[in-house]
Amino acid sequence: GVLTCVTGVAGSGKSSLINDTFVGLFPKAVVIDQSPAGRSSRSTPVTYIGVFDLMRKELARATGTDASLFSFNSDGACEKCKGMGFISLEMNFLDDIRMTCDECNGQRFKDEVLALQHKGLNIFDILNLNVLEAAELFEDRQIRRRLGILAEVGLDYLRIGQALSSLSGGEAQRIKIAAELHKKGHLYVLDEPTTGLHMADIDRLVSILQKLTRNHNTVVVIEHNLDVIRRADWVIDMGPGGGKNGGHIIAEGTPEQAAGNANSVTGRYLAQLLPAAGGR
């Protein structure tokens, strides 16, 4: 039920301790790293968080048709590109070339499906809405709640139908968090989640991690960012150096206790930050 930061200089043994040892002892842990979020090239933010089926059902009710028509993996998909929106040309030893499908013009659906509208928008238009716009369009409370979670983790600008493969590492981590936020009693392990984030997004990320702990989850974060470390409940600092000079626990305790440890490199920087910040 607390937020623990594992810190230390590069090569000090943070990942060896957590990813190689700790996670192996807890196989049910939710490991959130910067690997791509979706396994399929067809994965989108709304398929990943599990609301696309609910959206299609609402569209089916509104248009008096079948929900399968609004899936680019099913009956409504363009027959030429199979719902991909593009045609791939294999180039042997070169990368494949993608050409916009000339049947659907990249819109992924059959003409008769694109002719169906809900509140003046067809399925292609809807999938190009961002998270906040989509939340206003749909009436279903569960759809709005889950889209609200995406907004809560700072992904309100994402188009709900864009490929997950287009997300950055930081965005991939946050969408993984969004998919898990409603659960309780879990163990979460995050590997440097602040990489590539703006300072404002780091504040938002910390708020999310703290919300997870309030929901009785345990959160372990490998991190270098002092703004995250100073707001952790517990710090484990590895060192004293990197490589063969690492692998030892140098400091363990609250951020204040780590800041008071003269042997901890992280502690020396925390000592400069905590007084100026007025504590955590």
Side-chain angles (χ1 to χ4, degrees):
V2 298
L3 170 59
T4 297
C5 271
V6 181
T7 64
V9 300
S12 60
K14 303 182 297 296
S15 294
S16 297
L17 173 65
I18 301 304
N19 294 328
D20 297 345
T21 303
F22 180 74
V23 171
L25 298 174
F26 298 93
K28 292 185 179 180
V30 177
V31 180
I32 300 174
D33 56 20
Q34 297 196 21
S35 62
R39 295 181 180 179
S40 167
S41 60
R42 296 173 180 264
S43 295
T44 66
V46 288
T47 59
Y48 192 81
I49 63 171
V51 296
F52 194 36
D53 286 347
L54 296 175
M55 290 179 169
R56 293 191 295 108
K57 288 177 182 177
E58 185 169 321
L59 293 173
R61 287 194 299 270
T63 58
T65 56
D66 191 274
S68 64
L69 290 178
F70 299 100
S71 170
F72 43 72
N73 296 320
S74 189
D75 297 344
C78 169
E79 293 180 353
K80 185 169 184 177
C81 65
K82 308 301 181 187
M84 295 297 293
F86 59 84
I87 306 295
S88 289
L89 299 178
E90 294 185 9
M91 299 297 291
N92 294 325
F93 298 107
L94 301 175
D95 290 338
D96 292 351
I97 293 177
R98 290 184 175 183
M99 299 179 61
T100 301
C101 175
D102 57 4
E103 182 72 24
C104 64
N105 293 317
Q107 297 184 80
R108 309 178 78 169
F109 293 89
K110 298 175 181 177
D111 287 342
E112 55 265 34
V113 177
L114 294 170
L116 301 171
Q117 293 194 349
H118 176 49
K119 297 182 180 180
L121 302 175
N122 65 24
I123 183 61
F124 176 75
D125 299 326
I126 291 170
L127 289 174
N128 275 295
L129 297 176
N130 66 35
V131 168
L132 292 181
E133 292 168 339
E136 293 180 1
L137 179 73
F138 289 95
E139 305 292 339
D140 187 285
R141 289 184 180 180
Q142 192 171 356
I143 294 174
R144 290 189 168 194
R145 182 180 64 82
R146 297 220 187 153
L147 290 176
I149 293 175
L150 282 181
E152 190 176 337
V153 299
L155 298 176
D156 51 323
Y157 58 87
L158 287 185
R159 289 181 293 107
I160 66 171
Q162 77 181 77
L164 290 187
S165 58
S166 68
L167 302 188
S168 68
E171 288 170 331
Q173 288 207 66
R174 280 184 284 164
I175 201 169
K176 291 176 185 178
I177 294 172
E180 303 286 345
L181 259 183
H182 62 287
K183 298 179 181 178
K184 294 183 179 181
H186 280 64
L187 170 62
Y188 294 84
V189 176
L190 293 89
D191 193 347
E192 299 190 35
T194 62
T195 301
L197 292 187
H198 185 274
M199 288 179 64
D201 287 327
I202 290 174
D203 284 338
R204 182 173 283 175
L205 174 68
V206 173
S207 296
I208 295 164
L209 299 180
Q210 291 173 336
K211 180 177 180 178
L212 282 171
T213 60
R214 287 196 300 271
N215 284 341
H216 310 291
N217 298 292
T218 295
V219 181
V220 178
V221 181
I222 300 171
E223 191 53 79
H224 292 282
N225 187 282
L226 288 170
D227 279 333
V228 178
I229 299 168
R230 71 181 177 87
R231 287 187 277 182
D233 300 300
W234 200 255
V235 175
I236 299 172
D237 191 48
M238 303 293 294
K244 64 180 182 179
N245 297 316
H248 299 277
I249 295 177
I250 303 304
E252 184 178 8
T254 65
E256 290 80 7
Q257 289 171 330
N261 189 316
N263 296 318
S264 169
V265 175
T266 302
R268 292 202 293 271
Y269 285 93
L270 276 175
Q272 300 172 27
L273 184 66
L274 287 176
R280 286 183 291 159

